């Protein structure tokens, strides 16, 4: 969460210099892939996986790409700090997805947590100077959060759940 919350620190200077969100992400992932690969080599980890898992990993890569791209695009419509804070609605979305599609138990503790999360997000409705947040920016952030929530649920409920995290991350970034 700390490093994900630092996205604007590295992205904003590049976006402000005229680089596109997709360009920033391309180079970010292009740099991350060999770093993770080198770590895997140093730890003597295997890159091997079967074709079925590769299909799942490709879909996870698409979800991660959509999440990152929509978040970075939202920075053009709203304050990056607010956008990055709003992104953290994704745990709420994970909980709702798990309750609806996987029949996870819905307790009063979950209800209070969801209600407090929504209350916190509502406080972000007014931006600097009292102006309301951009609808486009808000929809982009919510799309980012939803894509990331689906990613998290998919990792837990698909054939990649037993892959080592570095191996999974390597392929997700590659795709």
């Amino acid at each position: 969460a700390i490093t994900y919350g630092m996205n604007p620190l590295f992205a904003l200077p590049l976006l402000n210099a005229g680089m596109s969100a997709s360009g920033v992400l391309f180079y970010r992932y292009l740099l991350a892939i060999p770093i993770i690969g080198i770590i895997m080599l140093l730890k003597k980890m295997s890159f091997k996986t079967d074709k079925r898992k590769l299909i799942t990993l490709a879909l996870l890569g698409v979800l991660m790409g959509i999440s990152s791209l929509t978040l970075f695009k939202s920075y053009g419509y709203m304050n990056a700090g607010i956008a990055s804070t709003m992104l953290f609605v994704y745990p709420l979305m994970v909980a709702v997805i798990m309750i609806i599609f996987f029949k996870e138990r819905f307790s009063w503790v979950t209800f209070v947590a969801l209600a407090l999360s929504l209350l916190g997000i509502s406080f972000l409705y007014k931006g600097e100077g009292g102006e309301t947040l951009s609808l486009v920016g808000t929809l982009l952030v919510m799309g980012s959060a939803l894509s990331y929530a689906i990613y998290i649920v998919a990792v837990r409920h698909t054939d990649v759940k037993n892959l080592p995290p570095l191996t999974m991350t390597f392929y997700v970034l590659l795709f």
Side-chain angles (χ1 to χ4, degrees):
I2 291 169
T3 57
Y4 211 73
M6 291 174 50
N7 271 330
L9 180 66
F10 301 104
L12 287 178
L14 297 171
L15 294 170
N16 290 335
M19 188 176 243
S20 69
S22 57
V24 172
L25 290 168
F26 173 79
Y27 288 109
R28 174 183 171 182
Y29 293 157
L30 188 65
L31 181 64
I33 293 165
I35 291 171
I36 292 173
I38 290 168
I39 292 169
M40 289 175 67
L41 288 171
L42 291 173
K43 289 184 161 203
K44 297 180 178 22
M45 295 177 67
S46 173
F47 289 82
K48 193 182 284 190
T49 188
D50 59 64
K51 288 181 183 179
R52 183 175 156 165
K53 284 188 178 100
L54 282 176
I55 293 169
T56 304
L57 290 165
L59 293 172
L60 290 172
V62 169
L63 286 169
M64 181 61 70
I66 289 169
S67 178
S68 297
L69 187 60
T70 52
L71 176 63
F72 281 26
K73 290 274 191 187
S74 76
Y75 295 164
Y77 295 92
M78 63 184 1
N79 176 285
I82 291 175
S84 295
T85 301
M86 288 177 70
L87 175 69
F88 285 92
V89 72
Y90 77 83
L92 179 143
M93 292 179 175
V94 168
V96 170
I97 291 168
M98 293 301 295
I99 290 165
I100 292 172
F101 295 104
F102 296 95
K103 308 299 183 231
E104 193 163 292
R105 199 171 134 256
F106 186 68
S107 68
W108 68 271
V109 173
T110 304
F111 175 77
V112 170
L114 293 174
L116 288 173
S117 296
L118 288 173
L119 179 65
I121 291 166
S122 73
F123 289 141
L124 297 173
Y125 180 66
K126 296 269 185 180
E128 294 175 23
E131 62 189 50
T132 58
L133 296 177
S134 159
L135 178 61
V136 172
T138 300
L139 290 174
L140 285 167
V141 172
M142 292 301 119
S144 176
L146 180 60
S147 180
Y148 192 54
I150 294 168
Y151 170 88
I152 290 171
V153 172
V155 166
R156 183 175 173 188
H157 290 281
T158 61
D159 55 345
V160 299
K161 67 182 167 196
N162 295 323
L163 274 179
L166 278 176
T167 304
M168 184 176 65
T169 303
F170 176 82
Y171 283 108
V172 165
L173 292 176
L174 184 67
F175 289 115

